[in-house]
Amino acid sequence: MRPDSMATYLTGDNILFSNDAFGQHYAIEELFNDKAEPCLLWGEAMKYYANILNPFSPLVKKKIEEIQSLNLPIDIIAPSHGAIWREDPMQIVEKYYQWAQDYQENQITVVYDTMWEGTMQLAHAIGEEISHLQPDTKVKVFNISQSDKNDIMTEVFKSKAIAVGSPTVGQDILSAVGGWLDFLKELKFKNKKAAVFGCYGWSGESTKILRERLSAAGFAVTEPEIKCNWNPTDTDLAKAAEIAKVLCE
Ligand SMILES: Cc1cc2nc3c(=O)[nH]c(=O)nc-3n(C[C@H](O)[C@H](O)[C@H](O)COP(=O)(O)O)c2cc1C
Protein backbone atom coordinates (compact mmCIF):
# COMPACT_ATOMS: atom_id res chain seq x y z
CA MET A 1 0.00 0.00 0.00
CA ARG A 2 2.79 2.36 0.95
CA PRO A 3 5.75 2.11 -1.38
CA ASP A 4 7.87 0.74 1.51
CA SER A 5 5.37 -1.92 2.58
CA MET A 6 5.22 -5.58 1.54
CA ALA A 7 2.47 -8.11 2.36
CA THR A 8 2.75 -11.90 2.69
CA TYR A 9 0.03 -14.49 2.15
CA LEU A 10 0.15 -17.85 3.93
CA THR A 11 -1.44 -20.52 1.76
CA GLY A 12 -3.36 -23.21 3.65
CA ASP A 13 -4.03 -21.11 6.75
CA ASN A 14 -5.31 -18.31 4.50
CA ILE A 15 -3.66 -15.55 6.48
CA LEU A 16 -2.75 -12.23 4.94
CA PHE A 17 0.14 -10.63 6.84
CA SER A 18 -0.60 -7.14 5.62
CA ASN A 19 2.25 -5.23 7.28
CA ASP A 20 1.21 -1.54 7.63
CA ALA A 21 -2.10 -1.91 5.82
CA PHE A 22 -5.25 -2.33 7.95
CA GLY A 23 -3.34 -1.55 11.16
CA GLN A 24 -3.89 0.87 14.00
CA HIS A 25 -1.74 2.55 16.62
CA TYR A 26 -3.72 0.65 19.20
CA ALA A 27 -3.01 -2.39 21.36
CA ILE A 28 -5.60 -4.81 22.70
CA GLU A 29 -4.58 -7.51 25.10
CA GLU A 30 -6.82 -10.17 23.52
CA LEU A 31 -5.32 -9.44 20.08
CA PHE A 32 -8.38 -9.92 17.87
CA ASN A 33 -10.89 -7.50 16.34
CA ASP A 34 -13.90 -9.30 17.82
CA LYS A 35 -12.46 -8.69 21.31
CA ALA A 36 -11.94 -4.96 20.76
CA GLU A 37 -14.35 -2.20 21.66
CA PRO A 38 -15.73 -1.43 18.16
CA CYS A 39 -15.88 2.37 18.49
CA LEU A 40 -12.26 2.52 19.62
CA LEU A 41 -11.09 0.04 17.00
CA TRP A 42 -12.80 1.77 14.07
CA GLY A 43 -11.78 5.21 15.37
CA GLU A 44 -8.15 4.09 15.53
CA ALA A 45 -8.30 2.36 12.15
CA MET A 46 -9.65 5.53 10.54
CA LYS A 47 -7.15 7.73 12.37
CA TYR A 48 -4.34 5.55 11.03
CA TYR A 49 -5.69 5.68 7.48
CA ALA A 50 -6.33 9.45 7.53
CA ASN A 51 -2.95 10.38 9.00
CA ILE A 52 -0.68 7.88 7.27
CA LEU A 53 -2.25 6.26 4.26
CA ASN A 54 -4.43 9.01 2.79
CA PRO A 55 -1.65 10.38 0.53
CA PHE A 56 -1.37 6.91 -0.99
CA SER A 57 -5.10 6.45 -1.66
CA PRO A 58 -4.72 5.87 -5.44
CA LEU A 59 -2.21 3.08 -4.67
CA VAL A 60 -4.47 1.60 -1.96
CA LYS A 61 -7.40 1.41 -4.38
CA LYS A 62 -5.29 -0.22 -7.08
CA LYS A 63 -3.76 -2.73 -4.68
CA ILE A 64 -7.14 -3.78 -3.25
CA GLU A 65 -8.49 -4.36 -6.75
CA GLU A 66 -5.40 -6.40 -7.58
CA ILE A 67 -5.78 -8.59 -4.47
CA GLN A 68 -9.52 -9.05 -5.05
CA SER A 69 -8.83 -10.19 -8.61
CA LEU A 70 -6.61 -12.99 -7.24
CA ASN A 71 -9.68 -14.46 -5.48
CA LEU A 72 -7.64 -15.70 -2.54
CA PRO A 73 -9.53 -17.07 0.45
CA ILE A 74 -8.68 -14.77 3.39
CA ASP A 75 -9.60 -16.02 6.88
CA ILE A 76 -7.37 -13.70 8.87
CA ILE A 77 -5.68 -10.37 8.24
CA ALA A 78 -2.75 -9.82 10.58
CA PRO A 79 -1.24 -6.32 10.32
CA SER A 80 2.14 -5.49 11.83
CA HIS A 81 0.45 -3.45 14.59
CA GLY A 82 -3.06 -3.20 16.01
CA ALA A 83 -5.88 -5.73 16.15
CA ILE A 84 -5.79 -8.94 14.11
CA TRP A 85 -8.87 -9.12 11.91
CA ARG A 86 -10.30 -12.63 12.31
CA GLU A 87 -14.03 -11.90 12.50
CA ASP A 88 -15.21 -10.90 9.01
CA PRO A 89 -11.68 -9.83 8.01
CA MET A 90 -12.84 -8.39 4.70
CA GLN A 91 -14.76 -5.61 6.49
CA ILE A 92 -11.56 -3.60 6.93
CA VAL A 93 -10.66 -4.14 3.26
CA GLU A 94 -14.08 -2.82 2.23
CA LYS A 95 -13.63 0.20 4.50
CA TYR A 96 -10.21 0.91 3.01
CA TYR A 97 -11.74 0.76 -0.46
CA GLN A 98 -14.28 3.44 0.58
CA TRP A 99 -11.69 5.53 2.40
CA ALA A 100 -9.37 5.45 -0.64
CA GLN A 101 -11.93 7.20 -2.83
CA ASP A 102 -12.17 10.80 -1.57
CA TYR A 103 -14.12 9.66 1.47
CA GLN A 104 -16.53 12.17 3.03
CA GLU A 105 -19.23 12.34 5.65
CA ASN A 106 -21.70 15.14 6.17
CA GLN A 107 -19.36 17.04 8.45
CA ILE A 108 -17.64 20.44 8.54
CA THR A 109 -14.63 21.04 10.79
CA VAL A 110 -13.51 24.46 12.04
CA VAL A 111 -9.91 24.82 13.24
CA TYR A 112 -8.16 27.88 14.62
CA ASP A 113 -5.59 29.27 16.98
CA THR A 114 -5.79 32.56 18.84
CA MET A 115 -3.93 34.78 21.30
CA TRP A 116 -6.75 36.90 22.80
CA GLU A 117 -9.72 34.75 21.73
CA GLY A 118 -11.04 37.06 18.98
CA THR A 119 -10.38 34.42 16.31
CA MET A 120 -11.91 31.84 18.64
CA GLN A 121 -15.16 33.82 18.71
CA LEU A 122 -15.21 33.82 14.91
CA ALA A 123 -14.62 30.04 14.86
CA HIS A 124 -17.56 29.36 17.16
CA ALA A 125 -19.79 31.80 15.26
CA ILE A 126 -19.05 29.89 12.02
CA GLY A 127 -19.77 26.57 13.75
CA GLU A 128 -23.08 27.86 15.13
CA GLU A 129 -24.18 29.25 11.76
CA ILE A 130 -23.49 25.92 10.06
CA SER A 131 -25.55 24.05 12.68
CA HIS A 132 -28.33 26.61 12.28
CA LEU A 133 -28.33 26.42 8.49
CA GLN A 134 -27.87 22.68 8.10
CA PRO A 135 -28.79 20.86 11.34
CA ASP A 136 -27.95 17.45 9.86
CA THR A 137 -24.34 18.47 9.25
CA LYS A 138 -22.00 17.47 12.04
CA VAL A 139 -19.86 20.43 13.14
CA LYS A 140 -16.64 20.17 15.11
CA VAL A 141 -14.52 23.09 16.32
CA PHE A 142 -10.88 22.67 17.41
CA ASN A 143 -8.23 24.93 18.85
CA ILE A 144 -5.13 23.64 17.05
CA SER A 145 -2.69 24.35 19.87
CA GLN A 146 -4.87 22.57 22.45
CA SER A 147 -5.79 19.47 20.44
CA ASP A 148 -4.12 16.32 19.16
CA LYS A 149 -3.14 17.16 15.59
CA ASN A 150 -3.80 13.62 14.38
CA ASP A 151 -7.32 13.74 15.85
CA ILE A 152 -8.00 16.97 13.97
CA MET A 153 -6.74 15.37 10.73
CA THR A 154 -9.14 12.46 11.22
CA GLU A 155 -11.98 14.97 11.49
CA VAL A 156 -10.76 16.76 8.35
CA PHE A 157 -10.66 13.38 6.58
CA LYS A 158 -14.37 12.94 7.39
CA SER A 159 -15.32 16.50 6.39
CA LYS A 160 -16.75 17.87 3.17
CA ALA A 161 -15.39 21.30 4.08
CA ILE A 162 -13.23 23.05 6.65
CA ALA A 163 -12.74 26.60 7.94
CA VAL A 164 -9.31 27.65 9.19
CA GLY A 165 -8.58 30.73 11.30
CA SER A 166 -5.53 32.55 12.62
CA PRO A 167 -4.84 36.08 13.80
CA THR A 168 -2.03 38.00 12.08
CA VAL A 169 1.23 37.78 14.05
CA GLY A 170 4.46 39.31 12.76
CA GLN A 171 2.80 39.70 9.33
CA ASP A 172 2.20 35.95 9.32
CA ILE A 173 -0.09 33.31 10.86
CA LEU A 174 0.38 31.71 14.30
CA SER A 175 3.04 28.99 14.25
CA ALA A 176 0.67 26.23 15.43
CA VAL A 177 -1.57 26.91 12.44
CA GLY A 178 1.44 27.11 10.11
CA GLY A 179 2.79 23.74 11.30
CA TRP A 180 -0.63 22.16 11.05
CA LEU A 181 -1.00 23.44 7.47
CA ASP A 182 2.35 21.84 6.54
CA PHE A 183 1.00 18.52 7.79
CA LEU A 184 -2.35 19.09 6.04
CA LYS A 185 -0.55 19.53 2.71
CA GLU A 186 1.30 16.23 3.16
CA LEU A 187 -1.96 14.33 3.50
CA LYS A 188 -3.18 15.26 -0.01
CA PHE A 189 -6.88 15.54 0.79
CA LYS A 190 -9.06 15.98 -2.28
CA ASN A 191 -12.52 17.27 -3.10
CA LYS A 192 -12.91 19.49 -0.02
CA LYS A 193 -13.82 23.15 0.33
CA ALA A 194 -12.17 25.57 2.75
CA ALA A 195 -12.88 29.05 4.14
CA VAL A 196 -10.59 31.37 6.08
CA PHE A 197 -10.95 33.85 8.94
CA GLY A 198 -8.86 35.75 11.46
CA CYS A 199 -8.38 38.90 13.53
CA TYR A 200 -5.64 41.49 12.96
CA GLY A 201 -4.38 44.78 14.33
CA TRP A 202 -2.77 46.82 11.54
CA SER A 203 -1.43 44.93 8.51
CA GLY A 204 -3.74 41.86 8.44
CA GLU A 205 -1.91 39.31 6.27
CA SER A 206 -3.34 36.17 7.92
CA THR A 207 -6.38 35.50 5.72
CA LYS A 208 -4.36 35.93 2.51
CA ILE A 209 -1.68 33.55 3.79
CA LEU A 210 -4.30 31.00 4.90
CA ARG A 211 -5.84 31.14 1.42
CA GLU A 212 -2.49 30.49 -0.26
CA ARG A 213 -1.56 27.68 2.10
CA LEU A 214 -4.93 25.92 1.78
CA SER A 215 -4.90 26.20 -2.01
CA ALA A 216 -1.40 24.69 -2.02
CA ALA A 217 -2.77 21.85 0.13
CA GLY A 218 -5.36 21.07 -2.56
CA PHE A 219 -8.46 22.67 -1.01
CA ALA A 220 -11.00 24.68 -3.03
CA VAL A 221 -10.83 27.95 -1.08
CA THR A 222 -14.15 29.81 -1.11
CA GLU A 223 -14.57 33.57 -1.43
CA PRO A 224 -16.29 34.90 1.73
CA GLU A 225 -13.89 35.39 4.62
CA ILE A 226 -13.85 37.20 7.95
CA LYS A 227 -10.96 39.60 8.30
CA CYS A 228 -11.66 41.27 11.59
CA ASN A 229 -9.89 44.34 12.99
CA TRP A 230 -9.09 43.65 16.69
CA ASN A 231 -12.03 42.08 18.55
CA PRO A 232 -15.07 40.88 16.59
CA THR A 233 -18.02 43.25 16.32
CA ASP A 234 -21.58 42.18 15.46
CA THR A 235 -20.79 43.05 11.82
CA ASP A 236 -17.80 40.68 11.80
CA LEU A 237 -19.75 37.89 13.50
CA ALA A 238 -22.62 38.31 11.03
CA LYS A 239 -20.22 37.34 8.23
CA ALA A 240 -20.05 33.85 9.74
CA ALA A 241 -23.42 33.17 8.07
CA GLU A 242 -21.91 33.88 4.62
CA ILE A 243 -19.09 31.41 5.27
CA ALA A 244 -21.56 28.82 6.56
CA LYS A 245 -23.67 29.21 3.41
CA VAL A 246 -20.87 28.52 0.92
CA LEU A 247 -19.43 25.66 2.95
CA CYS A 248 -22.84 23.97 3.21
CA GLU A 249 -23.67 24.31 -0.52
C1 LIG B 1 3.18 39.52 19.05
C2 LIG B 1 2.09 40.11 18.21
C3 LIG B 1 2.37 40.39 16.89
C4 LIG B 1 1.38 40.94 16.06
N1 LIG B 1 1.66 41.20 14.75
C5 LIG B 1 0.72 41.75 13.97
C6 LIG B 1 1.00 42.05 12.61
O1 LIG B 1 2.11 41.85 12.11
N2 LIG B 1 0.01 42.59 11.86
C7 LIG B 1 -1.24 42.84 12.35
O2 LIG B 1 -2.11 43.26 11.61
N3 LIG B 1 -1.53 42.56 13.65
C8 LIG B 1 -0.61 42.02 14.47
N4 LIG B 1 -0.89 41.77 15.77
C9 LIG B 1 -2.23 42.09 16.32
C10 LIG B 1 -3.17 40.91 16.41
O3 LIG B 1 -3.39 40.36 15.13
C11 LIG B 1 -4.52 41.37 17.03
O4 LIG B 1 -4.28 41.64 18.39
C12 LIG B 1 -5.64 40.38 16.89
O5 LIG B 1 -6.84 41.00 17.30
C13 LIG B 1 -5.41 39.13 17.73
O6 LIG B 1 -6.41 38.21 17.46
P1 LIG B 1 -6.83 37.09 18.53
O7 LIG B 1 -7.76 37.75 19.53
O8 LIG B 1 -7.51 36.01 17.76
O9 LIG B 1 -5.58 36.60 19.19
C14 LIG B 1 0.10 41.23 16.60
C15 LIG B 1 -0.17 40.93 17.95
C16 LIG B 1 0.82 40.39 18.75
C17 LIG B 1 0.52 40.09 20.19
Side-chain angles (χ1 to χ4, degrees):
M1 304 263 175
R2 265 167 46 155
D4 63 344
S5 198
M6 197 170 79
T8 307
Y9 177 73
L10 182 62
T11 317
D13 289 329
N14 304 340
I15 303 174
L16 178 69
F17 294 96
S18 59
N19 200 354
D20 278 338
F22 315 124
Q24 318 92 49
H25 288 140
Y26 173 51
I28 44 167
E29 214 163 323
E30 299 91 341
L31 301 179
F32 298 101
N33 67 321
D34 48 287
K35 297 285 184 186
E37 204 284 303
C39 267
L40 274 178
L41 175 62
W42 284 108
E44 290 296 329
M46 182 185 265
K47 184 174 180 176
Y48 186 90
Y49 188 93
N51 283 274
I52 294 173
L53 290 173
N54 195 69
F56 306 103
S57 284
L59 275 178
V60 172
K61 180 172 178 282
K62 217 174 102 196
K63 200 39 90 184
I64 289 176
E65 285 164 358
E66 204 179 301
I67 291 171
Q68 275 167 343
S69 73
L70 296 174
N71 258 328
L72 296 170
I74 295 177
D75 294 336
I76 287 180
I77 297 178
S80 47
H81 36 85
I84 296 169
W85 301 87
R86 71 172 174 188
E87 187 181 82
D88 186 10
M90 292 311 281
Q91 59 181 319
I92 185 66
V93 181
E94 280 150 29
K95 271 284 178 235
Y96 263 46
Y97 200 59
Q98 277 178 18
W99 292 344
Q101 298 178 74
D102 299 349
Y103 180 76
Q104 268 182 21
E105 295 178 16
N106 187 11
Q107 178 173 323
I108 298 177
T109 302
V110 182
V111 297
Y112 70 93
D113 197 6
T114 187
M115 297 178 292
W116 316 119
E117 302 191 350
T119 306
M120 179 188 84
Q121 288 181 50
L122 301 177
H124 286 286
I126 293 167
E128 277 163 29
E129 290 295 341
I130 296 165
S131 296
H132 184 64
L133 193 68
Q134 216 167 63
D136 290 343
T137 302
K138 208 182 272 181
V139 182
K140 298 200 181 171
V141 181
F142 291 95
N143 178 318
I144 291 176
S145 59
Q146 288 171 12
S147 311
D148 179 313
K149 288 169 189 54
N150 299 106
D151 281 340
I152 306 179
M153 287 310 176
T154 313
E155 299 305 330
V156 171
F157 175 69
K158 288 193 262 179
S159 297
K160 58 183 179 180
I162 62 171
V164 182
S166 170
T168 301
V169 181
Q171 299 187 286
D172 209 326
I173 53 178
L174 278 174
S175 58
V177 183
W180 185 80
L181 287 167
D182 280 339
F183 184 23
L184 187 74
K185 184 167 179 245
E186 281 174 34
L187 295 181
K188 297 196 169 88
F189 290 118
K190 293 198 174 65
N191 196 29
K192 294 184 197 292
K193 285 195 242 180
V196 301
F197 58 96
C199 299
Y200 72 101
W202 49 94
S203 57
E205 288 86 351
S206 75
T207 52
K208 182 170 173 281
I209 293 168
L210 290 171
R211 272 180 191 285
E212 289 165 0
R213 300 282 303 272
L214 283 162
S215 298
F219 285 74
V221 187
T222 55
E223 209 38 57
E225 65 173 41
I226 314 179
K227 182 173 168 180
C228 158
N229 197 205
W230 304 115
N231 282 327
T233 60
D234 288 347
T235 318
D236 296 310
L237 293 169
K239 289 186 193 146
E242 294 170 36
I243 290 190
K245 189 163 173 281
V246 293
L247 294 184
C248 286
E249 272 166 3

